[in-house]
Amino acid sequence: MPWQELINEFQESSDVIELGGGPKAIDRQHGKGRLTARERIGKLLDDGSFFLEVGRWAAWEMYTEWGGTSSASVVCGMGQVSGRTVMIIANDATTKAGAFFPMTCKKVLRAQKIAMQNRVPLIYLVDSAGVFLPLQDEIFPDEDDFGRIFRNNAVISALGIPQLAAIMGNCVAGGGYLPVLCDKLIMTEGSGLYLAGPALVKSAIGQEVSHEELGGAQMHAGVSGTIDYREADDQAAIERLRSLVEMLPADPVAAQFAADAATGAARSQDEIYDVIPIDPQTRYDVRELIQFLVDADSFQEYKAEYGQTIVCGHARIGGIRVGLVANQRTVVESAQEGMQFGGVIYHDSADKEARFIMDCNQTWTPLIFLQDVMGFMVGRDSEQAGIIRAGAKVVNVISNSRVPKITVITGGSYGAGNYAMCGKAFDPRMIFAWPNARYAVMGGKQAASTILDINIAALKRAGQEPDTAELEELKQKVTDAYETSTDIRYAAARLWVDGIIAPDETRQTLLESLRIVSRHAEDQPFRTGVLQV
């Protein structure tokens, strides 16, 4: 499939996601005199502001037995409001009334984590019916479920990170704690804030009470004193939010992160499709990709002649100094090992990577990982050379890095290679993927063959001897299932990546991400655990 065909396919699905619950649900929202989540965000952001969306593909093709929930019924992302960078978390009432599904909780938690790590103020646009009750057992009790959101509200507040909330519709049951735990609280006329609605109150204690008397904006403004500002409608609430954000301090830049004058990239972004192949089996020199991403003439390769299946080097992106760690995708020649295959991590490349990451931590240089990896080299020679020891060293230094890490998956992300190239488990501040990316413990052909062998053995133990037709049908079924689960949309649906970006959007995405991650530095010494040497 050509690049443009793949990008068009993803864009069509992305456009559907953007519609939330669809045109009829949007009309219902407008009929209440309310804007949709994305309309609210559009009016809140400064003209011309970027919007770095987080988790657009969340819950993609999940919860189908319940009719699905577009983008997990919440829109999250960062942009500029009154000249300040903020994280916006907006319930989408057009899809299941903004109810919280399991992935909704995880998406909000991911947005909160990004905001905490980078000290980004948060704005919550609340319009939710609360927990999706049929799945309450997957939403309610655990440490990565609904209650953790409120715990984070309290911790974020204690860190001094501003939080503003605007109730612009329903805010019921436990969800009511979120806005009330924020620094400033706005509520629009016609909205409701209560632990239990009128029907539940009547059922529970026999009391008959109106919506407004129980939890309307006028009551909370003049009787309970819970809200700070009562506004007539969405537009007035948005104007109030913008004026309050304007009073916040200007965006900080941590002194530890050095920046120089920015220049453009060495190559035009639209040429990237002529250079970087879509087929993962096609070789290319990753240095060519790097030239599309970094400022012109800024890349200085580190240990260029050693451990060549990983390319490391210092560069600038938008003037910000960064360290790059990238999988080489062409065959290289090692002075000691002979031919080495691209996309494979050998013991010498792992040693080089670990040493480079340590150096970047010493100099407060943010790290960018360009991940297109098949895994570690296996076999007698590799084991005797200490591949496990070298891989453990990489895992150790990545885990203990004090500098921000950003990961972009440009192709395969397989097995322990995912770990060595800063996969989701290793706390990248942001993680993105191209549409052709694949996420799995091993390649599709190898995995399908292994799973097929296991299934055949199980059938034989049960006394069944599959014939040729049955074997072919089983093989196709296993292959199709594995292909589905390795599709990057499957990963994005589960928030293993923050976003899917087109290759020609990579530099701009990195620019925006670097401005965000360079706001705050964890001012602590760099230290590692025990390194096997």
Side-chain angles (χ1 to χ4, degrees):
M1 180 186 294
W3 270 117
Q4 197 55 56
E5 187 177 335
L6 180 65
I7 289 168
N8 289 345
E9 177 189 323
F10 273 66
Q11 188 59 53
E12 288 173 9
S13 297
S14 181
D15 291 344
V16 172
I17 290 171
E18 193 162 321
L19 286 173
K24 290 182 178 179
I26 292 171
D27 289 343
R28 285 196 298 272
Q29 182 77 349
H30 289 165
K32 299 174 185 176
R34 297 173 184 166
L35 301 171
T36 67
R38 292 187 183 275
E39 288 169 342
R40 287 165 176 166
I41 291 170
K43 289 182 177 293
L44 183 60
L45 292 172
D46 295 343
D47 290 340
S49 167
F50 71 91
F51 184 59
L52 190 59
E53 190 166 347
V54 175
R56 185 185 189 94
W57 294 82
W60 179 77
E61 293 194 346
M62 295 175 68
Y63 312 120
T64 52
E65 66 273 33
W66 303 106
T69 174
S70 180
S71 207
S73 72
V74 63
V75 182
C76 303
M78 289 169 285
Q80 294 266 314
V81 174
S82 299
R84 280 78 172 166
T85 301
V86 299
M87 171 67 81
I88 302 170
I89 298 174
N91 300 119
D92 183 0
T94 70
T95 176
K96 299 294 188 291
F100 274 70
F101 283 70
M103 288 310 303
T104 315
C105 296
K106 289 171 176 54
K107 183 172 174 177
V108 172
L109 290 172
R110 177 60 180 160
Q112 288 182 321
K113 181 177 181 179
I114 291 170
M116 275 194 282
Q117 287 179 319
N118 301 296
R119 300 300 191 267
V120 177
L122 292 110
I123 295 177
Y124 303 91
L125 306 180
V126 183
D127 191 355
S128 171
V131 166
F132 186 68
L133 288 176
L135 296 175
Q136 64 85 27
D137 61 320
E138 299 179 48
I139 300 167
F140 171 64
D142 211 344
E143 65 181 359
D144 60 348
D145 287 342
F146 200 46
R148 189 72 171 190
I149 295 170
F150 315 134
R151 175 266 185 194
N152 283 355
N153 286 135
V155 171
I156 289 167
S157 182
L159 288 170
I161 303 169
Q163 295 179 95
L164 300 86
I167 300 171
M168 309 168 91
N170 290 318
C171 184
V172 300
Y177 289 114
L178 184 151
V180 178
L181 283 162
C182 292
D183 307 336
K184 297 177 177 65
L185 177 52
I186 299 163
M187 188 172 178
T188 60
E189 296 287 357
S191 295
L193 170 63
Y194 31 65
L195 290 179
L200 184 55
V201 168
K202 183 177 180 179
S203 173
I205 63 173
Q207 185 180 72
E208 293 195 17
V209 61
S210 71
H211 162 87
E212 177 58 42
E213 185 182 6
L214 185 64
Q218 186 173 2
M219 188 282 288
H220 281 303
V223 179
S224 77
T226 300
I227 67 171
D228 305 315
Y229 304 93
R230 176 163 65 101
E231 303 295 346
D233 52 26
D234 282 10
Q235 186 59 47
I238 289 166
E239 289 171 3
R240 176 71 72 179
L241 281 169
R242 288 185 54 81
S243 66
L244 292 172
V245 172
E246 194 172 11
M247 298 172 66
L248 298 178
D251 284 357
V253 178
Q256 291 92 332
F257 303 126
D260 304 304
T263 59
R267 303 193 63 169
S268 172
Q269 299 302 299
D270 57 11
E271 295 176 5
I272 197 168
Y273 300 107
D274 299 325
V275 176
I276 308 302
I278 191 172
D279 183 356
Q281 303 304 317
T282 305
R283 299 169 183 170
Y284 69 92
D285 191 330
V286 77
R287 297 179 189 90
E288 293 192 70
L289 170 57
I290 288 170
Q291 291 306 311
F292 286 101
L293 308 182
V294 305
D295 295 356
D297 301 320
S298 71
F299 182 62
Q300 300 183 68
E301 189 169 351
Y302 175 85
K303 293 185 185 290
E305 298 171 77
Y306 183 76
Q308 296 176 67
T309 63
I310 290 182
V311 173
C312 301
H314 296 278
R316 293 186 299 274
I317 297 180
I320 299 174
R321 298 176 196 172
V322 299
L324 288 125
V325 180
N327 297 113
Q328 179 58 281
R329 288 301 306 185
T330 189
V331 174
V332 300
E333 190 75 23
S334 165
Q336 287 186 314
E337 308 291 331
M339 187 174 68
Q340 294 182 333
F341 297 101
V344 178
I345 301 174
Y346 292 77
H347 68 92
D348 54 352
S349 50
D351 275 336
K352 178 174 80 171
E353 179 188 354
R355 177 65 181 83
F356 180 72
I357 291 169
M358 293 172 76
D359 181 65
C360 288
N361 273 275
Q362 287 289 92
T363 57
W364 282 105
T365 305
L367 285 157
I368 293 173
F369 293 84
L370 302 177
Q371 191 182 117
D372 188 357
V373 60
M374 295 302 296
F376 283 86
M377 189 59 188
V378 297
R380 181 194 60 203
D381 294 344
S382 185
E383 297 291 358
Q384 291 181 358
I387 189 65
I388 296 176
R389 183 182 69 238
K393 196 184 305 181
V394 172
V395 166
N396 197 320
V397 297
I398 291 177
S399 302
N400 288 294
S401 284
R402 63 177 178 176
V403 297
K405 305 181 291 277
I406 301 170
T407 299
V408 182
I409 303 171
T410 63
S413 179
Y414 294 112
N418 169 280
Y419 306 155
M421 294 298 294
C422 197
K424 181 68 182 294
F426 292 85
D427 295 322
R429 297 274 186 101
M430 302 290 291
I431 179 168
F432 303 99
W434 286 1
N436 63 320
R438 288 290 182 270
Y439 232 135
V441 76
M442 66 176 72
K445 289 182 180 178
Q446 303 96 309
S449 176
T450 302
I451 295 169
L452 184 63
D453 289 345
I454 292 170
N455 287 343
I456 291 171
L459 288 172
K460 288 180 177 178
R461 283 196 303 271
Q464 299 178 45
E465 190 70 39
D467 59 28
T468 303
E470 288 173 326
L471 283 174
E472 192 59 36
E473 183 182 352
L474 183 58
K475 181 180 179 180
Q476 191 60 49
K477 184 178 179 180
V478 167
T479 301
D480 290 347
Y482 203 81
E483 282 299 310
T484 297
S485 66
T486 60
D487 188 313
I488 197 60
R489 287 169 290 196
Y490 186 95
R494 289 151 182 81
L495 296 175
W496 301 342
V497 297
D498 294 315
I500 302 173
I501 58 174
D504 64 352
E505 298 171 339
T506 308
R507 174 175 163 87
Q508 188 60 38
T509 301
L510 288 174
L511 280 167
E512 293 163 359
S513 300
L514 283 166
R515 293 190 190 107
I516 291 164
V517 303
S518 60
R519 293 168 58 96
H520 174 71
E522 292 291 346
D523 194 6
Q524 58 183 346
F526 172 57
R527 49 184 175 260
T528 68
V530 174
L531 295 177
Q532 297 286 347
V533 296

